[in-house]
Each structure stands twice: as structure tokens, then as C-alpha cells.
Amino acid sequence: MNKIFEVPLYAYERSEDQDAPTPVRHPVVVIGAGPIGLAAAIDLAQRDVPVVVLDDNDKVSFGSRAICFAQRPLEILDRLGAGKAMVEKGVEWDVGKVYFDERQVYQFDLMPEAGFQFPAFINLQQYYFEDYLVQRARALQAEGKPIEIRGRNKVEAIGTHDDHVALEIETPEGAYTIEADWLIACDGANSPTRRMLGLDFVGRVFEDNFLIADVVMEADFPTERWFWFDPPFNRGQSALLHKQPDGVWRIDLQLGWDIDKEEEKKPENVIPRLKQMLGDDVEFELEWVSIYTFQCRRMEKFRHGRVLFAGDSAHQVSPFGARGANSGVQDTDNLIWKLKLVMDGHAPEALLDTYNAERVHGADENILNSTRSTDFITPKSEISRVLRDAVLDLSERYEFARPLVNSGRLSVPCTYDGSPLNSADALDGGPHRTRPGSPCPDVPLGEGFLLPLLADRFTLLTIDADAPDGFEEDGIPVTRLALKSTDDTSRALARRYLGDAKSAVYLIRPDQHVAARRDAWNEDLFRAALRRATGKEL
Amino acid sequence: MSDLILTPNIESHDDFYADLLAAHEGLSKAESDAYNARLILILANQIGERDTLRAALDAAKRKG
């Protein structure tokens, strides 16, 4: 068994707060030191906002869990100081194969678009991801940044007030109480915070069970994603094989609804199945086996006064399409800059309601996509199975049917169309992909890339256009990044940001989404766009 | 407005109908269902346009 599961990453230590005569007030408390809680905390600490992370455990999560990380989350994690470590360790893949019954019906190549610093996807066990984030948190602590992770600190009760939240915490040395101006709940799909506050979590339960097995194989299998519909080794069901680092392979087997979970999990039942799948002569070792069911649901609102929900605590999707951890990282990316502005008094509290609006939009998109994948993979009626099988049959011979095959639509970043923070698009001929609300696509610039230059503040990006070096509105600074279309010889900058326009000026938010764009600088209009993007025109 | 054609448009309609029946001849119910599904998908790809397909889906719901 992998050692990483056994070593406490953030062992319990007594905090001064436990000996304080009255509850100590913290600016921000995060519940949950999983990937999303840690991402939130790192983002806050990088902005010098003191943050305490509470977790009822002290180790990384057990088993591989979330294993597929998409480009946009990797870009966000790069801003948080962990993206490069993930890519270095992760496995990149481009080729996928689709099997139906006993035969391969087709294969595809993702053919990732060139000119991005980060790959379209990597596979990496969640425990590495958590480990890198904890390492990053430790590095920030060493730099004197105000971030603290308290292991084996279990929140037992939450009191909500107009201007703060009170938390009763149980530890190995007894209970204590702290207060927080703001609470971010990243405590997972079964969120105790949500339960303690008596909040809803509605959606659709899928009547199905999936067995996940991590196996260590010596075999020299190619680095590809293999998906089976109705294979001989798992009749009437589906199966997925995916590579992870360290010679670990993720195998997902759909089991159906009426099964005995404990029985199915036993090695004597798992191993024969895997032998059928991998072939009798392949040597492998079982590292982790788990059975899960899933649901597609979300909270009605992600903000409840001073409590903000992010990640699986706010929304849950099926695993098809890798939209769980990936969307959680986009939640905190959206939330933290807004929270900082509100805490500093530079923006009204209503700005936080746009976190709700924008990320509910994202969650709905993810739920829609993953529900459709699930309906394709596990048809719920006879006719939906007939249609699904027809698509698969046709896909072998006819290219037209291949896009209909849905074994998971892999996570793409959410564009906040219709967000109240957007200014109307005023760049004639500008590319659709960089319209207001869009996440900025990366562009190669000499030795480096565009996104690291945008960093985590408001940026005025000018391309072949004049503008002042920056401006300030209500204490919020905007820094200009002046580029020429010729700065990128691959012409990706022109294709992604100019389109048919001769010049462009973009106002870009701290989460690297476009707030406004036009063909030239105009002080009044960009000041108005900044006010709008910071919730002052709501 | 969609371009769904609901006036006669099939060339040699009696021949087409006979071809359609012939295609199902000798098939079991399950094979016929599968055949119909493949045929729908092939025809849908030929049409392509979303509005027209939606209009066809709606039109098929009305039984006279």
C-alpha cells in the first residue's frame, strides 16, 4: 500500500485559540483541506488575507479519486503555485479508443490546440494534487504568509450571525470555539456544513453502482483512454481504463443497481473481472477498490450570508467528463478575488452574489453535460439503449456518428455569458472565444506565456492600441499590459484576441475572465466597466 | 422558421415505401428497432440543421 495514505500531512497541533479566554475572530475560515479548500486558502494567503483551514482528518484522501485535470484548472493552479508540479508528475494523453461489444469501433486523437502553456488534460491521482497544495501552503507559511491548516479539527456546530459565523470545534484535546468574518465550506458532497445549516441539495440520483479499482501493472499498455460499451467481460454495462502516474491504472466498471456492494468489492470477485478485461497473462496488483453511486445535484444558492459553498459541497456531478474537482477549482478562482475586494471595502457585498450567479451557471452547465453522458453510458429505457447502440454501431463505419458517442464530455472552462459583471461587447470583429465573460485563452509570448502576465489582478490588455500605464477607481488599481500583435510570431494572439479587429483593449478580471473589450482606450467607458466588474452597477 | 418539408417530396414514393418495408423483411422486432434507429440517425445527419430536426421531432409527435 502506498505510504502517502498513512503519513499525516497536517498533524494535529494545539492552537493558541484553544487557550484563549474568549473566541478568537479570524477574517476567513475554510472548512475542508481537500483540493478545493486548499486552493481557496492558498489564493487568500497569496493576497495576504489571513486564513485558517479546518479539517476533521489529517491525511490526503484515500485512493486515487479525482484523476483528470483539465487545462483551465491547471492554469489556475499555476497561479496558485502548483500547476507545474502537477504537469510534471501527471500523465498526458491524446488518444482514446472506443469499444463496443467485442470490437474496437473507432479511436480518436484529441489533437490539442497549439500555443498553450498547459496541456488539454493530465491524469494525476488526487492525493498528489492534495500533497502539492499542502506543500505550497507550507511554502507560503515559510514566506510569512498568513495560512494555517488545523488537522483533526472537526466543526461540530455553526452559528450564523449578520456579521460573522461562530464555529464549535472538536479536537483530540477537547472542544473550543472560534469566530470568522467569512466562512468557506469546502467539505465535500456530504457537506456537514450544509447539513448543520439545514440547507437543500436537490437533483437527480442515478440508480447505478460503479466499481473503481486502481491496479499497479507492469504491462507496457499505451497511454490511452479506453472506453467499453457492453464488453464481454462486463455484459450490458460499461468499463473505462485510464493511466495514472507510477504505473497505476484506473479501472471503472459499471455494476448496475441491484448488487451486493460488499460482495463485489472482495478481491476474489474483483480480480477475475479484471483478468477478463486485461487478459489472463497480465500481472497486476490491486491498490484500491471502491464502489460508488453518484448524483447530479446542486444547492439552490452557493452563498448564505457569511457562508460560501465551493466545490462538491455546492454541486455534485457524475464522474463522466471530469467536472468535479475541475469545477471546484474554478469556483474558488471566481470567489476569492471578490471576497478580498469586499473585505477591503473596495466592493459592495453584492459582488459576492455574482459568485453565486456565475458559478451556478457553471454548475448547471456541468450537470447538464454529465447527465447527458450518464444517459448515454447507462441508458435508462429500452429505446434509449436501442438508439445508443445504433450510434455505436454506426460509429464503426461512419464518421458522422462518432461525435454522438458520449463517454464523457471533458471539462471545458465556463464562459459567464449574461453575467451582470460583463460590459457589452464593443469590439467589432472580435473573436467569439474572448467575448466578455470568457476565460482568457493563453498565448505564447517569446519565452513565456500570456496568462502568468495577467496574474491575479485587474489588467488592461492593449494590443496595437494606446492607453495610460494604468488607472485606479475606488482604490482598485488596474495595470496595463501593452502588447503588439507581432509579439507572438505564431499569430495566436491576433487570432484569439483581435479576430478581424485592427486593435483591441481588454479589461481582464483577477480570475482572468474578460470583463470588457473595445477597439480603443476610452477612459470613461473603461472606468464604468471596472465599476460594473466590481459589482457597483448591480 | 424551419425548412421542414411537410408537403409531398419523396421521389417515387411507392418505390421508397416498398424499399422501406423490404429493408425490414426477415428482421426480428429487436433487429427492426435497431435498424430504424440507425436509419433515423443517418437521415438526421443528412438534415443536419437543428431547427429542422426539432420541427421534425415535433411533427412526428402529432398523429394526424
Side-chain angles (χ1 to χ4, degrees), chain A residues 377-421:
Chain A
I377 292 163
T378 66
K380 297 298 180 289
S381 70
E382 197 191 329
I383 190 64
S384 65
R385 180 173 293 273
V386 167
L387 286 164
R388 197 279 306 269
D389 289 354
V391 168
L392 291 168
D393 272 325
L394 291 168
S395 73
E396 186 172 13
R397 189 163 308 151
Y398 306 116
E399 212 182 313
F400 89 84
R402 294 175 191 167
L404 295 171
V405 175
N406 190 343
S407 66
R409 297 283 182 239
L410 294 166
S411 176
V412 292
C414 181
T415 295
Y416 303 131
D417 282 319
S419 166
L421 304 186

Side-chain angles (χ1 to χ4, degrees), chain B residues 3-22:
Chain B
D3 295 325
L4 184 68
I5 302 165
L6 292 169
T7 49
N9 191 47
I10 299 172
E11 234 174 60
S12 313
H13 41 79
D14 287 348
D15 290 340
F16 161 73
Y17 198 75
D19 289 346
L20 182 60
L21 290 186

Side-chain angles (χ1 to χ4, degrees), chain A residues 127-202:
Chain A
Y127 48 80
Y128 279 120
F129 178 21
E130 291 180 20
D131 189 23
Y132 295 151
L133 289 176
V134 172
Q135 286 179 35
R136 174 61 183 157
R138 298 282 179 236
L140 287 167
Q141 272 172 337
E143 288 170 27
K145 295 286 187 185
I147 179 170
E148 197 188 325
I149 308 174
R150 297 186 188 171
R152 299 180 69 191
N153 270 240
K154 187 172 187 226
V155 177
E156 293 283 4
I158 299 173
T160 52
H161 304 271
D162 282 348
D163 64 343
H164 74 282
V165 176
L167 301 162
E168 246 174 66
I169 302 163
E170 192 57 50
T171 75
E173 296 180 308
Y176 72 108
T177 303
I178 57 172
E179 292 176 350
D181 291 339
W182 298 95
L183 177 68
I184 307 177
C186 306
D187 47 357
N190 298 316
S191 171
T193 305
R194 206 179 54 225
R195 189 171 33 77
M196 284 184 271
L197 298 183
L199 298 170
D200 62 81
F201 201 40
V202 289

Side-chain angles (χ1 to χ4, degrees), chain A residues 285-496:
Chain A
E285 202 186 305
L286 267 183
E287 186 174 81
W288 176 59
V289 179
S290 169
I291 289 184
Y292 66 93
T293 56
F294 57 79
Q295 311 190 350
C296 289
R297 55 185 185 172
R298 68 162 168 86
M299 297 179 73
E300 195 194 337
K301 290 188 304 178
F302 298 173
R303 178 186 175 209
H304 290 265
R306 296 253 157 180
V307 186
L308 299 142
F309 290 83
D312 282 1
S313 72
H315 45 75
Q316 201 186 357
V317 293
S318 83
F320 307 114
R323 288 164 183 273
N326 281 313
S327 67
V329 172
Q330 291 170 74
D331 286 346
T332 62
D333 189 44
N334 186 290
L335 173 61
I336 300 304
W337 68 270
K338 294 177 180 174
L339 185 56
K340 163 84 173 160
L341 285 179
V342 171
M343 292 175 76
D344 289 348
H346 293 318
E349 237 183 82
L351 182 60
L352 294 173
D353 293 326
T354 70
Y355 161 68
N356 180 69
E358 292 183 336
R359 292 314 298 164
V360 160
H361 176 73
D364 284 347
E365 202 172 276
N366 287 322
I367 288 171
L368 177 72
N369 274 291
S370 87
T371 300
R372 286 175 171 175
S373 301
T374 309
D375 285 338
F376 191 88
I377 292 163
T378 66
K380 297 298 180 289
S381 70
E382 197 191 329
I383 190 64
S384 65
R385 180 173 293 273
V386 167
L387 286 164
R388 197 279 306 269
D389 289 354
V391 168
L392 291 168
D393 272 325
L394 291 168
S395 73
E396 186 172 13
R397 189 163 308 151
Y398 306 116
E399 212 182 313
F400 89 84
R402 294 175 191 167
L404 295 171
V405 175
N406 190 343
S407 66
R409 297 283 182 239
L410 294 166
S411 176
V412 292
C414 181
T415 295
Y416 303 131
D417 282 319
S419 166
L421 304 186
N422 297 347
S423 294
D425 194 356
L427 183 64
D428 280 341
H432 186 63
R433 72 189 291 175
T434 39
R435 66 192 182 279
S438 308
C440 287
D442 210 354
V443 165
L445 293 173
E447 298 289 294
F449 285 87
L450 172 65
L451 296 186
L453 301 177
L454 299 178
D456 60 1
R457 57 180 190 275
F458 274 101
T459 303
L460 189 73
L461 170 66
T462 61
I463 304 166
D464 300 334
D466 288 326
D469 288 341
F471 64 101
E472 198 176 296
E473 177 83 17
D474 282 351
I476 301 171
V478 179
T479 314
R480 180 184 179 199
L481 174 63
L483 296 179
K484 295 192 289 290
S485 53
T486 49
D487 288 343
D488 164 32
T489 48
S490 76
R491 303 288 300 157
L493 179 65
R495 275 198 316 279
R496 291 170 193 166

Side-chain angles (χ1 to χ4, degrees), chain A residues 97-157:
Chain A
K97 287 182 177 158
V98 176
Y99 297 83
F100 180 39
D101 196 349
E102 294 190 346
R103 61 200 199 277
Q104 180 186 325
V105 282
Y106 72 99
Q107 71 171 57
F108 59 88
D109 189 328
L110 289 176
M111 283 187 292
E113 197 184 356
F116 288 81
Q117 185 175 12
F118 286 90
F121 298 96
I122 60 159
N123 284 359
L124 181 73
Q125 293 91 326
Q126 181 171 326
Y127 48 80
Y128 279 120
F129 178 21
E130 291 180 20
D131 189 23
Y132 295 151
L133 289 176
V134 172
Q135 286 179 35
R136 174 61 183 157
R138 298 282 179 236
L140 287 167
Q141 272 172 337
E143 288 170 27
K145 295 286 187 185
I147 179 170
E148 197 188 325
I149 308 174
R150 297 186 188 171
R152 299 180 69 191
N153 270 240
K154 187 172 187 226
V155 177
E156 293 283 4

